[in-house]
Amino acid sequence: MRVFYSTLQKKHRITEELYYGKVTAYGDSIERVSNITKSLKKEKIFDFVKPELCPYEAILAVHDKNYLQFLEMTQSLKAKEFVAPYVFPYDARLQKQNPIMPYRAGHFTFDSGAPIMKHTWEAACASASNSYASAQYLERTGEASYALCRPPGHHATANMYGGYCYLNNAAIAAKHLTQYGKVMIIDFDYHHGNGSQSIFYDSSDVFYLSLHAHPLVEFPFYSGFLEEHGIDEGFNYNLNVPLMPKTSSKEYFKNFEKSLNFALKVMDPDYIVVSAGFDIQSKDPLGHFNMLEKDFYKLGKMLKTLNKKMMFVQEGGYLLKSLGKNVESFLKGYMM
Ligand code: Q9C
Ligand code: ZN
């Protein structure tokens, strides 16, 4: 299986985030990618490819222009400078001053946990180029591939970053594929993909299905409830399955199969983009589900039985000692 990955992604180096008013270690460390590449490179069945930089228009098809201008502007930060706003525009009647300013990052983020540094834009573009390349490859060959995206993407909305995400990698792939057919996103990250949901909320071109920890008790708190079904054209094309922390793998699979069957009755997709978040693994520092290595294998196998054109986009997953193994197990389950 092809793995799209570029070393440029490691240029986004953040060590700290603000979490409930305290400075804590940043979750999206560069060791995450090293861990995954180490596991996959041991196996001959994975073929690493550095993708071409994806066209600006592919990103612009999902994200607002002034949001992208803001991110690009942050390339002029000094080596040790960070953008991390502490003031947010709370009212539409506030003065419309130029938002393309580091001080006014509050326009463009919904949390305090995703700082920006000089190379964030470059790394986020490299990351998005992986999922774009996977989508192109899927459309051209019908073959599945794995986009080793980091920074991740599913929390990023059309005009806001957050949850370690800046560009919505899965949405960029899905949007590209809508030119060729119907698309379904299946998101199994521990957290709800509020960004992916919002980007396609009023559209029936992309069905968004997500299983995740209940937003009553987990990030992103404001989005991911069962009642969110989509609007306008997109009504019925959004399905959230919020599950309580400590949900067993057995219960998880039951919900997966049930919701997937429901989704497939609404839409018979030509393409499936899987937002693969491994923070559902047992003992993940950010998650409280209980998936083991063998469960990821089973998950990969289950997706294979759908017999659809499919691609995989890396999202979360933070337990370094298991991350690479679980990604490997999942992809092997799909392949074998
Ligand atoms: N110190 C993804 O999994 N906040 N993002 C948690 C913990 C944000 C995770 C803070 C969690 C977002 C792609
Ligand atoms: Zn997550």
Side-chain angles (χ1 to χ4, degrees), residues 70 87 90 96 152 158 180 192 199 215 231 247 249 272 307-308:
F70 170 83
V87 183
Y90 51 87
K96 298 280 182 295
Y180 309 98
H192 178 241
I199 288 164
I231 50 166
T247 292
S249 299
I272 294 179
N307 198 18
K308 289 282 177 192

Side-chain angles (χ1 to χ4, degrees), residues 34-85:
S34 315
N35 190 278
I36 297 171
T37 54
K38 217 174 94 196
S39 280
L40 300 186
K41 279 187 173 163
K42 274 199 294 234
E43 307 291 313
K44 289 203 177 62
I45 50 175
F46 298 109
D47 183 13
F48 277 73
V49 178
K50 180 180 171 168
E52 267 180 55
L53 201 61
C54 77
Y56 194 83
E57 299 73 56
I59 304 177
L60 200 53
V62 161
H63 293 285
D64 290 358
K65 194 167 187 158
N66 71 339
Y67 174 61
L68 298 181
Q69 281 171 349
F70 170 83
L71 291 177
E72 285 177 276
M73 171 274 296
T74 61
Q75 292 178 103
S76 61
L77 291 167
K78 297 201 183 74
K80 285 185 179 151
E81 270 181 340
F82 296 92
V83 167

Side-chain angles (χ1 to χ4, degrees), residues 17 19 24 152 154-155 163-165 189 191 219 279 286 316 318:
E17 61 180 89
Y19 182 56
T24 60
H154 75 153
H155 295 303
Y164 310 146
C165 304
D189 188 275
H191 306 95
F219 183 94
D279 37 12
L286 269 66
Y318 305 93

Side-chain angles (χ1 to χ4, degrees), residues 37 102 121 131 242 251 262:
T37 54
W121 167 253
S131 59
E251 205 47 36
F262 179 89

